[in-house]
């Protein structure tokens, strides 16, 4: 039987070895599970090269829980967050700040344009009330890659803190906390780490995290309190997703075996190159210029006349291939992911199905 391919921004296709690791029950206070948690925390911080300066704090929940915990814990109650937004995930950070009562300014770009570091510099010069800046590394709305290094340099130079939503690329796209200064990098157990969903990760700057006691709006999303807990006794404060944690460790073993984030990125780049070349042959155009597109998820313009996304989606779904609707507000589009435990054979299989379905859609309705 052919396995299901999740060509989406998550949850993603996982390996048999990762899912097999779910098949064991752990007690949350069991020394073996405490040790597993400790290994996960070190390995996740090391993926971002933050082992000397940062600590990984884990939370049960999806990626958004980690983003909400980071904003709520690390942005001072009397601070102001500047969100750099060119898509839905930037807007979500602004919505979180609004919901939890942190003052927030939003600087917006078109969904097809990268954040402009020069504009960030000007805003930080003008507005002394801004304490923290938030940016999305790969904006999953389109798959666009923002210039995080340049933004980080400007934010550091201006003496402000930076939060990086690295959710969609963590474990593959380069992100080096020795090169950029960030008070937090947010990630999750699925996406490029190729675990199963259920754990949000914040790799937080230790010196700042230590100064954030009592700052969180939330009891359960208080990163400082959870960090203190991990440091004190290695335990999660509330029921940990024990099987998900074990699956994440298995996934990290596979990341190492593959050759680390660089090798994983090379596999995704190959998926991406095959996908865009194959789709171009079938007449599908990418929404973004190649220079802005990260090899994470690709947005394609709907081809117009005769194309019916629902039929297209359902026909692919019937073949065990799941794609994603577009999230662009301007023009009709759809998205196909390049990440997860998939390789060129899987992309070839998907392209083969898409070719057949595209040919069927081109036939007038009612013919058989
Ligand atoms: C997936 C993702 C998130 C988190 O989404 P969840 O559905 O909560 O896991 C946040 N930011 C970006 C850029 C993402 O791709």
């Amino acid at each position: 039987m052919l396995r299901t391919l999740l060509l989406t921004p998550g949850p993603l296709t996982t390996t048999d070895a990762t899912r097999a690791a779910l098949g064991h029950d752990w007690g949350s206070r069991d020394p073996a599970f405490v040790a597993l948690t400790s290994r996960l925390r070190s390995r996740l911080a090391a993926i971002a090269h933050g082992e000397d300066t940062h600590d990984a704090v884990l939370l049960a929940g999806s990626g958004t829980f980690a983003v909400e915990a980071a904003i709520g814990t690390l942005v001072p109650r009397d601070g102001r967050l500047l969100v750099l937004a060119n898509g839905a995930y930037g807007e979500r950070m602004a919505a979180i700040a609004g919901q939890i009562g942190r003052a927030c300014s939003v600087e917006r770009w078109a969904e097809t344009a990268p954040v402009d570091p020069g504009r960030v510099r000007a805003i930080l010069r003008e507005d002394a009330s801004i304490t923290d800046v938030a940016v999305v590394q790969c904006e999953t709305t389109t798959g666009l890659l923002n210039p995080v290094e340049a933004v980080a340099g400007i934010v550091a130079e201006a003496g402000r803190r930076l939060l990086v939503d690295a959710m969609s690329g963590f474990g593959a796209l380069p992100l080096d906390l020795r090169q950029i200064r960030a008070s937090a990098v947010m990630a999750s157990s699925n996406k490029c780490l190729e675990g199963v969903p259920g754990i949000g990760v914040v790799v937080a700057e230790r010196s700042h995290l230590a100064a954030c006691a009592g700052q969180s709006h939330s009891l359960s999303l208080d990163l400082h309190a959870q960090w203190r807990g991990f440091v004190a006794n290695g335990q999660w404060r509330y029921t940990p997703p024990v099987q998900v944690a074990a699956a994440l460790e298995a996934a990290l073993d596979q990341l190492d075996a593959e050759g680390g984030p660089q090798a994983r990125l090379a596999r995704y780049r190959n998926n991406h190159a095959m996908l865009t070349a194959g789709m171009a042959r079938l007449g599908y155009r990418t929404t973004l210029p190649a220079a802005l597109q990260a090899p994470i998820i690709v947005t394609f313009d709907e081809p117009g006349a005769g194309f019916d996304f629902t039929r297209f989606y359902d026909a692919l779904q019937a073949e065990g291939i799941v794609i994603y609707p577009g999230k662009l507000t301007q023009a009709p589009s759809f998205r196909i992911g390049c990440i997860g435990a998939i390789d060129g054979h899987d992309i070839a299989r998907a392209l083969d199905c898409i070719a057949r379905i595209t040919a069927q859609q081109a036939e007038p309705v009612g013919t058989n």
Side-chain angles (χ1 to χ4, degrees):
M1 223 191 88
L2 287 173
R3 64 193 185 129
T4 302
L5 299 182
L6 301 176
L7 306 182
T8 70
L12 298 171
T13 317
T14 52
T15 64
D16 292 344
T18 296
R19 275 177 277 101
L22 293 165
H24 178 78
D25 294 329
W26 306 71
S28 62
R29 288 162 205 281
D30 178 344
F33 184 72
V34 169
L36 189 157
T37 298
S38 163
R39 291 193 298 274
L40 280 181
R41 293 180 56 238
S42 316
R43 293 173 80 175
L44 290 164
I47 286 172
H49 304 286
E51 56 270 51
D52 293 339
T53 46
H54 290 63
D55 266 357
V57 185
L58 314 181
L59 295 167
S62 83
T64 303
F65 290 58
V67 176
E68 188 156 345
I71 293 174
T73 307
L74 303 175
V75 177
R77 290 194 179 194
D78 60 355
R80 172 173 287 275
L81 180 67
L82 169 65
V83 174
L84 312 178
N86 53 353
Y89 292 95
E91 296 295 340
R92 186 176 295 177
M93 291 200 281
I96 288 169
Q99 179 96 20
I100 68 180
R102 291 295 185 276
C104 179
S105 308
V106 187
E107 187 65 14
R108 293 189 171 86
W109 285 262
E111 288 166 329
T112 51
V115 163
D116 168 15
R119 231 154 97 189
V120 179
R121 176 183 280 127
I123 293 165
L124 293 180
R125 276 197 187 135
E126 245 164 56
D127 189 346
S129 72
I130 294 165
T131 51
D132 297 76
V133 178
V135 68
V136 182
Q137 183 186 30
C138 169
E139 181 42 92
T140 319
T141 304
T142 48
L144 181 150
L145 188 63
N146 277 314
V148 169
E149 288 78 9
V151 168
I154 282 161
V155 171
E157 189 186 291
R160 320 299 170 85
R161 285 179 300 265
L162 179 69
L163 297 113
V164 182
D165 175 351
M167 206 71 62
S168 59
F170 192 85
L173 293 178
L175 188 79
D176 188 337
L177 288 167
R178 298 165 307 185
Q179 310 288 332
I180 66 162
R181 176 128 200 230
S183 69
V185 170
M186 291 82 85
S188 85
S189 53
N190 75 129
K191 311 227 178 184
C192 300
L193 294 174
E194 298 186 4
V196 301
I199 295 178
V201 180
V202 182
V203 179
E205 195 170 28
R206 212 173 290 132
S207 57
H208 181 57
L209 187 56
C212 291
Q215 196 153 263
S216 177
H217 61 294
S218 162
L219 179 70
S220 58
L221 296 179
D222 185 340
L223 276 187
H224 174 88
Q226 180 55 81
W227 173 67
R228 292 285 299 271
F230 281 140
V231 170
N233 61 15
Q235 293 177 11
W236 302 57
R237 284 195 304 155
Y238 307 115
T239 304
V242 287
Q243 295 88 350
V244 174
L248 181 55
E249 180 163 63
L252 294 183
D253 290 345
Q254 293 162 65
L255 176 60
D256 285 350
E258 185 171 7
Q262 241 182 321
R264 180 149 297 179
L265 183 63
R267 173 162 57 84
Y268 293 165
R269 276 195 203 290
N270 180 59
N271 291 344
H272 170 249
M274 279 184 67
L275 177 70
T276 50
M279 290 295 280
R281 278 196 297 277
L282 297 172
Y284 294 95
R285 297 166 48 103
T286 58
T287 304
L288 292 180
L292 297 178
Q293 176 75 61
I296 301 291
I297 187 163
V298 185
T299 305
F300 293 96
D301 296 336
E302 283 196 7
F307 184 83
D308 178 340
F309 178 74
T310 305
R311 270 178 68 205
F312 186 72
Y313 178 94
D314 290 347
L316 276 169
Q317 164 100 62
E319 308 247 16
I321 294 169
V322 181
I323 63 166
Y324 227 59
K327 216 172 189 170
L328 282 181
T329 47
Q330 296 123 346
S333 60
F334 62 90
R335 290 176 290 171
I336 302 183
C338 309
I339 58 177
I342 55 166
D343 63 15
H345 297 97
D346 300 306
I347 297 293
R349 176 183 147 202
L351 285 168
D352 192 52
C353 291
I354 291 169
R356 267 185 288 113
I357 292 162
T358 301
Q360 280 159 14
Q361 285 218 352
E363 290 168 13
V365 178
T367 57
N368 43 52

